[in-house]
Amino acid sequence: MKKLYIGLLLSILTTTAFAQFGAGPDYGFRLGLMANPTIGWVKPESGTSNGANLGFSYGLMADFNFTRNYSFSTGLSITTINGKSTEINPSPFYDAVTYPNPTPYDLKYMLQYIEIPLTLKLKTEKIGLIKWYGQFGLSNGFLTSAKEDVSVNEKSIVQDAHVTKNINFYRAGLIIGGGLEYDVARSTSVTTGLTYNNGFTNISSNSNSSVRNHYIAINFGVFF
């Protein structure tokens, strides 16, 4: 996974170098840093969501401005998606000998991904020093770490259990968001906004189980 991260980072930096020869600030390439608190939750098909949990996302963001008001927006981030659920007989924790009948288990997911969003960003004309934007596209997540806490009848079974083999490597999500950019210098701007990431692929590697996770991110970033 470290090699994948380094390779993706080098690809973005190489693109940046070539983009310096672009047609100008309205049509060139912009690179920035972002840090986003997240609120995540999970939705199992056999069970219920059991509350939201805080997480965090940080990394690089990039805008390819092909016109003054339209951009292809991507990036590279480390994103944590946490959430709690109550699920019936979850594998591999279900103990059929002790609990022969359908039994609800309380689970807490702590998942970390490398995320590469592929989105279209639509911007308004400048109003003073501010541009408003809307964003829509696809989120691509690649699992780097997976842990779970599991309990049944208020009795803890495992804590911080490494469950990478029980979680699918790839996660796809639909991104919908919006926010604003504020110019603080000729080539520097700060950005803030709100993003909803709706996961639509099953995160469980068990073919008999269907679980999806989602999150809301409060976006903070700086373009240079």
Side-chain angles (χ1 to χ4, degrees):
M1 293 309 299
K2 289 183 179 178
K3 291 181 179 179
L4 173 63
Y5 184 86
I6 293 171
L8 292 170
L9 178 60
L10 290 175
S11 296
I12 288 180
L13 293 177
T14 302
T15 304
T16 306
F18 282 106
Q20 299 304 314
F21 300 98
D26 286 337
Y27 305 100
F29 174 85
R30 303 187 73 195
L31 188 66
L33 300 174
M34 59 86 166
N36 308 328
T38 65
I39 303 171
W41 65 97
V42 296
K43 285 187 177 181
E45 188 174 81
S46 179
T48 60
S49 179
N50 197 17
N53 285 87
L54 295 177
F56 200 72
S57 176
Y58 63 93
L60 299 172
M61 57 183 181
D63 276 6
F64 295 83
N65 302 306
F66 50 88
T67 73
R68 188 167 59 188
N69 300 107
Y70 304 100
S71 303
F72 170 71
S73 185
T74 183
L76 183 66
S77 65
I78 302 295
T79 300
T80 302
I81 309 175
N82 299 326
K84 295 179 180 179
S85 67
T86 299
E87 301 178 28
I88 306 300
N89 301 349
S91 176
F93 306 106
Y94 172 53
D95 183 354
V97 176
T98 305
Y99 304 102
N101 297 317
T103 305
Y105 284 66
D106 293 321
L107 287 79
K108 179 180 180 181
Y109 291 83
M110 295 162 283
L111 309 180
Q112 187 179 82
Y113 297 88
I114 289 178
E115 280 201 320
I116 304 174
L118 303 173
T119 66
L120 182 65
K121 185 181 286 186
L122 310 178
K123 304 176 183 179
T124 67
E125 295 289 344
K126 277 189 181 179
I127 305 172
L129 298 176
I130 293 176
K131 274 190 175 184
W132 296 89
Y133 70 85
Q135 196 168 2
F136 178 84
L138 177 68
S139 169
N140 300 280
F142 305 93
L143 188 71
T144 60
S145 173
K147 295 181 181 180
E148 281 186 352
D149 293 342
V150 182
S151 62
V152 59
N153 294 333
E154 300 185 353
K155 176 184 177 182
S156 177
I157 298 176
V158 295
Q159 286 190 326
D160 289 333
H162 291 274
V163 293
T164 304
K165 64 181 179 181
N166 300 327
I167 304 296
N168 283 324
F169 174 68
Y170 176 71
R171 173 191 181 274
L174 178 68
I175 296 174
I176 301 173
L180 63 87
E181 291 182 21
Y182 180 83
D183 289 343
V184 294
R186 183 177 180 276
S187 61
T188 304
S189 61
V190 295
T191 179
T192 185
L194 196 66
T195 298
Y196 172 53
N197 189 304
N198 180 48
F200 55 79
T201 54
N202 185 9
I203 64 172
S204 174
S205 60
N206 180 4
S207 59
N208 296 319
S209 176
S210 180
V211 183
R212 289 169 173 78
N213 58 357
H214 320 280
Y215 70 88
I216 293 173
I218 305 171
N219 309 122
F220 299 100
V222 180
F223 278 114
F224 300 99

